[in-house]
């Protein structure tokens, strides 16, 4: 609670309590018919009522300042929250981008693989490599293999005819 608000509330409360005493004096003087005492007591009642009203104005002023401070604080907290969300979003986008880039596999095809697949690189076309294209293609070619029922590979004898029937 704001200091002005507290001061106003306490002051207004005390002046309202203090107003009770001169008011009782006024009532007693009225019963006796003492008009001078009645006027003096009403003067005190009016003064304390004015002081209570002044304190009430302090309360209102303090409450306005308190509300203004609360709005400013809420606005700054909202701006901070928006800024934090933007930072988190940027971080999250970075993490997503990193995860996309991190999980991809890259494949590079060697010169011998390019020769087999039919692709040629600049080096193979110009003949600037460790071996010419024809030699690498011959090295990659292999002889046919026959597998037995046990799963063992057996090299066919040269001149063997292979026929497949279904």
């Amino acid at each position: 609670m704001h200091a002005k608000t507290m001061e106003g509330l306490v002051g207004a409360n005390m002046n309202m309590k203090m107003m009770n005493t001169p008011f009782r004096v006024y009532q007693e003087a009225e019963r006796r018919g003492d008009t001078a005492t009645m006027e003096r007591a009403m003067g005190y009642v009016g003064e304390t009522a004015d002081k209570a009203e002044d304190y009430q104005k302090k309360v209102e002023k303090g409450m306005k300042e308190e509300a203004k401070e609360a709005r400013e604080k809420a606005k700054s907290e909202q701006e901070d929250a928006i800024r934090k969300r933007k930072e988190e979003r940027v971080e999250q986008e970075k993490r997503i981008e990193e995860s996309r880039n991190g999980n991809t596999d890259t494949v590079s095809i060697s010169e011998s693989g390019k020769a087999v697949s039919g692709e040629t690189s600049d080096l193979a076309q110009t003949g600037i490599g460790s071996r010419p294209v024809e030699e690498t293609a011959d090295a990659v070619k292999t002889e046919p293999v026959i597998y037995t029922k046990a799963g063992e590979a057996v090299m066919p004898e040269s001149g063997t005819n292979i026929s497949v029937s279904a």
Side-chain angles (χ1 to χ4, degrees):
M1 188 173 277
H2 202 268
K4 285 185 179 180
T5 306
M6 283 298 291
E7 181 184 351
L9 288 173
V10 169
N13 186 29
M14 289 304 296
N15 278 298
M16 290 303 288
K17 287 181 180 178
M18 288 174 56
M19 193 170 57
N20 288 336
T21 303
F23 193 69
R24 277 190 301 232
V25 170
Y26 169 81
Q27 288 174 336
E28 184 64 34
E30 185 181 34
R31 273 188 244 139
R32 286 183 303 195
D34 188 0
T35 56
T37 307
M38 285 173 48
E39 287 176 9
R40 197 172 49 233
M42 280 310 287
Y44 291 135
V45 169
E47 286 176 19
T48 54
D50 289 341
K51 286 182 183 177
E53 189 176 327
D54 290 342
Y55 280 113
Q56 179 62 32
K57 289 178 183 176
K58 265 190 180 178
V59 169
E60 290 172 2
K61 220 179 206 184
M63 289 176 67
K64 285 180 183 178
E65 288 178 11
E66 193 174 338
K68 183 180 177 182
E69 288 175 6
R71 282 192 303 270
E72 290 173 357
K73 184 178 178 182
K75 184 178 179 181
S76 71
E77 287 176 356
Q78 184 180 18
E79 289 172 354
D80 288 343
I82 289 170
R83 183 180 39 80
K84 285 180 182 179
R85 284 187 206 126
K86 285 181 181 179
E87 290 173 358
E88 288 174 359
R89 187 178 311 129
V90 168
E91 260 184 51
Q92 187 177 19
E93 288 173 358
K94 285 180 183 177
R95 279 188 269 145
I96 290 171
E97 189 64 31
E98 287 174 3
S99 68
R100 286 180 183 162
N101 292 339
N103 290 339
T104 55
D105 294 332
T106 56
V107 176
S108 60
I109 301 174
S110 66
E111 292 299 320
S112 61
K114 287 180 182 179
V116 170
S117 69
E119 290 184 32
T120 57
S121 70
D122 294 338
L123 293 175
Q125 288 176 350
T126 59
I128 309 175
S130 58
R131 292 186 263 168
V133 175
E134 294 83 24
E135 287 181 23
T136 57
D138 289 338
V140 173
K141 291 181 183 177
T142 58
E143 293 293 322
V145 178
I146 299 175
Y147 291 96
T148 64
K149 289 182 180 180
E152 296 175 357
V154 178
M155 297 299 287
E157 299 172 6
S158 58
T160 306
N161 256 348
I162 301 173
S163 64
V164 177
S165 59

